[in-house]
Amino acid sequence: MSKVGKSSLQAGFPIRGWFAESPADFRRDFLALALPKSCAAGSVIFQAGEVGQDVFGVYSGVVTLQSRLTHPDAVLLHMVWPGEWFGTWSMLLGKGRRMSAVARTAVDLLRIPGDDLRALLRRRPQWHAELARDAVYGTDVAMQIAADLLIHNASARCAAVLLRLGGRRWASGPDAELPVEIPAAQNELAMLCNVSKNTF
């Protein structure tokens, strides 16, 4: 990450999902606050219950999200790919982290400091609604996880989970055709699909 300047990171950050639906001036103001952060594979970015209100965007690599409600054996819940953001719930609610975030691979992130973001929101209170788009996106993902697990046919359920984990569940256009490698073990994938390893 040290080889890439801050302005290059901001210019090269993938604009996807909720962020793509926000006005260009919001994206400009938001990215102007971004600081680069690199994490080695396996690094804990933050833990559920921690106090912290920085918001993170994935520039490269994959981040694993783990619910604070998850069983200790079920460490993997969802994967966050380049162009996606996490940590906005704590920022919006002013409370501790509701989930844990762990670097599944080596990752380069954009970190939006919570204090700087709060200052921006005081200057531009209308940006609260734009930031809330990510919370709505996260709720959609949570509902999709639940809906996928209700698919009766095991093969179809596994396919739905793999598409979601690979960031292809809702992809369209050129992104939908890009190859993807999901950095997860078979037993983790089987657990997420609610099937045995042999069935998976």
Side-chain angles (χ1 to χ4, degrees), residues 81-191:
W81 294 81
E84 296 182 304
W85 295 85
F86 59 98
T88 52
W89 277 104
S90 297
M91 173 67 227
L92 289 167
L93 297 175
K95 296 185 177 179
R97 300 292 187 187
R98 300 181 63 82
M99 61 183 62
S100 299
V102 179
R104 177 51 64 118
T105 66
V107 293
D108 289 327
L109 304 170
L110 293 185
R111 180 177 69 87
I112 310 293
D115 290 341
D116 294 345
L117 184 51
R118 279 190 293 275
L120 172 63
L121 294 174
R122 284 193 296 272
R123 294 192 307 270
R124 304 289 298 272
Q126 69 271 28
W127 288 162
H128 275 95
E130 298 306 324
L131 192 61
R133 287 178 187 270
D134 189 40
V136 173
Y137 174 80
T139 301
D140 286 346
V141 171
M143 288 191 295
Q144 188 65 66
I145 290 170
D148 287 349
L149 288 175
L150 294 174
I151 297 172
H152 181 70
N153 180 277
S155 295
R157 185 165 67 250
C158 290
V161 170
L162 288 172
L163 286 169
R164 176 176 55 79
L165 287 179
R168 299 293 184 266
R169 190 74 164 90
W170 309 279
S172 60
D175 282 355
E177 304 301 323
L178 295 175
V180 64
E181 182 176 334
I182 300 171
Q186 278 198 348
N187 62 318
E188 291 179 305
L189 296 172
M191 177 272 299

Side-chain angles (χ1 to χ4, degrees), residues 8-66:
S8 297
L9 279 174
Q10 294 167 352
F13 189 83
I15 306 300
R16 298 175 47 206
W18 71 275
F19 205 49
E21 297 174 6
S22 295
D25 50 347
F26 167 78
R27 295 197 300 266
R28 182 199 63 229
D29 290 350
F30 190 71
L31 289 174
L33 304 175
L35 301 172
K37 179 180 177 68
S38 295
C39 298
S43 299
V44 175
I45 300 165
F46 57 71
Q47 287 273 23
E50 281 182 359
V51 175
Q53 296 183 14
D54 293 353
V55 175
F56 298 88
V58 181
Y59 184 81
S60 66
V62 180
V63 172
T64 296
L65 298 182
Q66 303 170 12

